[in-house]
Amino acid sequence: MASLFSKFEGLAGALGSVVAAGGRNPFAVVIEKPISSTVGIIEGRETLLFGTNNYLGLSQSERAIKAAQAAAATCGVGTTGSRIANGTQSLHRSLERQIADFFKRRDAMVFSTGYQANLGMISALAGKDDFLLLDADSHASIYDGSRLSAAQVIRFRHNSPDDLYKRLKRLDAPNSAKLIVVEGIYSMTGNVAPMAEFAAVKRETGAYLMVDEAHSFGVLGEHGRGAAEAEGVEADVDFVVGTFSKSLGTVGGYCVSDHPELELVRLNCRPYMFTASLPPEVIAATGAALEDMIAHPELRQQLMSNAAHLHAGFMKLGLNASKRVSPVIAVTLDTVEQAIPMWNRLLKLGVYVNLSLPPATPDSRPLLRCSVMATHTPEQIDQAIAVFGQAAVDCGVPLQANAA
């Protein structure tokens, strides 16, 4: 008899090899107790957290914690329903208005996760007669949204407006809508999208443009509205999608737009319609964290300063780090056999980062992915740099000869 689980045999073998090579499962790390936004207890040891996406440190916002406590005390801990049934409280509408106003947009939809925001918006907007044009390095949620839609999918080279333009011009489908989907900052590598050039392609071809600002919301732009704001092309973006689980430190997702039809999307968006809405305490905490972010622009400035500090340290060591300074800094290694021992050594020495292995990496090489926080101290960043240097030596990882 066929087994439902036979398809996982290859995965089981690969995971077994990873665990055997390092003595632990890197995808099952438990933070036993958060001490602060930057330090947690892992395996009984205080560990520096450089792999959490908590860019502004707002998971520990006092304002957000108090707002969550007050909301739970007055509204309970759940809604028990979807947004189109009993799952919309005044808090949900208030947060949508708050998000829309922050982005200077007509309206906003709040989803239960950032994954569902991409899944829902892409699948609802793109129909069987439409075309989706996706960056080749798009997040899994974007690809999953394209699969849920009936649209024809065309991939273009990563961060290449020229390739996007060529593919759009080849389409002989004047009666079909075209939706371009890009990300502000790409989560695996920290690459930043050339938004002004993508916006120019959108204008010339008459396509729609959606930007996933998940990792650039709160990070880029004068006010933290993301990559489109940073390059002055917000007016060219039809839909901004993002998450609360990075810069705001909570959970949930959103889409903002000036298109009045967004209200109709609510009734044609399965990941919005058929899941329970966010609980009151999360909604309240998210609104309070957004207020904190707006009130403290210096957090964004400190974040970028810290990112430059870590990046410079990696370059001085001779590590193969991301070319662009952003809060996501990936160290690329040549082989999985180098990456697994080095990740384990980093953790043993007190630094947690994310281990990314092929085929989930853009160029089939393993990555040690670091995410920087505004709340990291200079001393913590120096310690992380020193630990990376020690781990590289201990694991025999070759360093680049042209180190700064």
Side-chain angles (χ1 to χ4, degrees):
M1 181 180 294
S3 169
L4 284 172
F5 304 104
S6 60
K7 64 180 70 70
F8 301 127
E9 290 173 358
L11 176 61
L15 179 60
S17 298
V18 169
V19 173
R24 58 170 63 82
N25 182 353
F27 312 114
V29 172
V30 176
I31 299 177
E32 293 139 24
K33 181 182 179 181
I35 303 299
S36 67
S37 60
T38 61
V39 178
I41 303 296
I42 299 177
E43 298 181 353
R45 300 184 299 272
E46 284 199 6
T47 303
L48 290 177
L49 303 176
F50 276 86
T52 67
N53 302 319
N54 189 14
Y55 299 126
L56 302 181
L58 291 179
S59 67
Q60 304 296 319
S61 161
E62 285 295 326
R63 185 185 305 202
I65 291 169
K66 289 177 181 177
Q69 291 170 335
T74 57
C75 302
V77 294
T79 66
T80 72
S82 81
R83 288 297 306 275
I84 65 166
N86 65 294
T88 296
Q89 298 182 2
S90 59
L91 281 170
H92 295 81
R93 284 297 194 184
S94 176
L95 179 60
E96 286 178 334
R97 186 71 262 150
Q98 193 178 358
I99 293 290
D101 288 346
F102 173 75
F103 278 97
K104 299 186 181 301
R105 298 286 181 155
R106 177 190 179 107
D107 202 1
M109 290 172 63
V110 166
F111 291 79
S112 295
T113 66
Y115 174 90
Q116 286 173 298
N118 269 331
L119 192 71
M121 290 306 302
I122 292 171
S123 62
L125 289 170
K128 65 181 179 62
D129 297 321
D130 302 323
F131 290 89
L132 277 169
L133 293 108
L134 310 182
D135 186 290
D137 286 359
S138 290
H139 189 266
S141 60
I142 293 173
Y143 279 116
D144 289 351
S146 72
R147 293 189 183 101
L148 189 59
S149 81
Q152 299 180 65
V153 177
I154 298 172
R155 298 200 316 169
F156 59 90
R157 285 198 303 272
H158 175 53
N159 266 357
S160 175
D162 289 341
D163 192 45
L164 170 63
Y165 179 76
K166 291 174 185 175
R167 292 176 186 274
L168 277 166
K169 295 301 284 185
R170 289 189 197 124
L171 292 177
D172 183 18
N175 296 321
S176 297
K178 292 91 175 174
L179 176 62
I180 303 163
V181 184
V182 299
E183 299 176 41
I185 292 178
Y186 285 82
S187 60
M188 196 69 72
T189 60
N191 293 341
V192 179
M195 284 307 308
E197 295 172 65
F198 280 130
V201 172
K202 175 254 172 136
R203 289 193 302 269
E204 184 168 343
T205 60
Y208 291 86
L209 177 60
M210 175 185 288
V211 182
D212 179 1
E213 299 274 20
H215 291 268
S216 42
F217 170 50
V219 173
L220 299 180
E222 182 181 355
H223 302 92
R225 293 198 292 266
E229 184 195 19
E231 296 204 15
V233 293
E234 289 178 282
D236 293 300
V237 178
D238 296 281
F239 307 96
V240 177
V241 178
T243 180
F244 304 139
S245 64
K246 274 59 177 183
S247 287
L248 296 188
T250 61
V251 68
Y254 64 86
C255 175
V256 297
S257 179
D258 286 327
H259 291 283
E261 294 85 356
L262 192 66
E263 194 63 27
L264 296 174
V265 173
R266 296 179 191 271
L267 302 177
N268 192 44
C269 184
R270 297 173 72 86
Y272 177 88
M273 297 166 64
F274 297 111
T275 192
S277 64
L278 286 170
E281 66 272 23
V282 172
I283 292 289
T286 301
L290 179 58
E291 292 171 0
D292 249 356
M293 187 185 87
I294 294 169
H296 297 286
E298 69 275 8
L299 287 174
R300 191 159 53 256
Q301 297 159 7
Q302 187 61 54
L303 172 65
M304 297 309 292
S305 175
N306 286 352
H309 183 170
L310 185 67
H311 186 269
F314 284 171
M315 297 302 287
K316 187 174 182 180
L317 286 174
L319 294 168
N320 184 12
S322 304
K323 300 300 183 284
R324 171 84 180 252
V325 175
S326 84
V328 178
I329 300 174
V331 174
T332 301
L333 300 176
D334 292 328
T335 67
V336 172
E337 290 72 24
Q338 292 173 346
I340 295 172
M342 185 162 173
W343 179 87
N344 278 279
R345 187 60 178 150
L346 288 169
L347 189 61
K348 188 73 173 178
L349 293 172
V351 175
Y352 170 73
V353 301
N354 306 125
L355 174 65
S356 299
L357 299 175
T361 55
D363 66 354
S364 298
R365 289 187 295 173
L367 303 175
L368 298 174
R369 178 190 177 277
C370 306
S371 53
V372 186
M373 290 183 243
T375 46
H376 280 128
T377 66
E379 293 76 19
Q380 288 174 331
I381 296 171
D382 284 338
Q383 183 179 345
I385 293 167
V387 166
F388 259 86
Q390 183 63 54
V393 170
D394 293 347
C395 298
V397 173
L399 302 176
Q400 295 178 355
N402 60 343

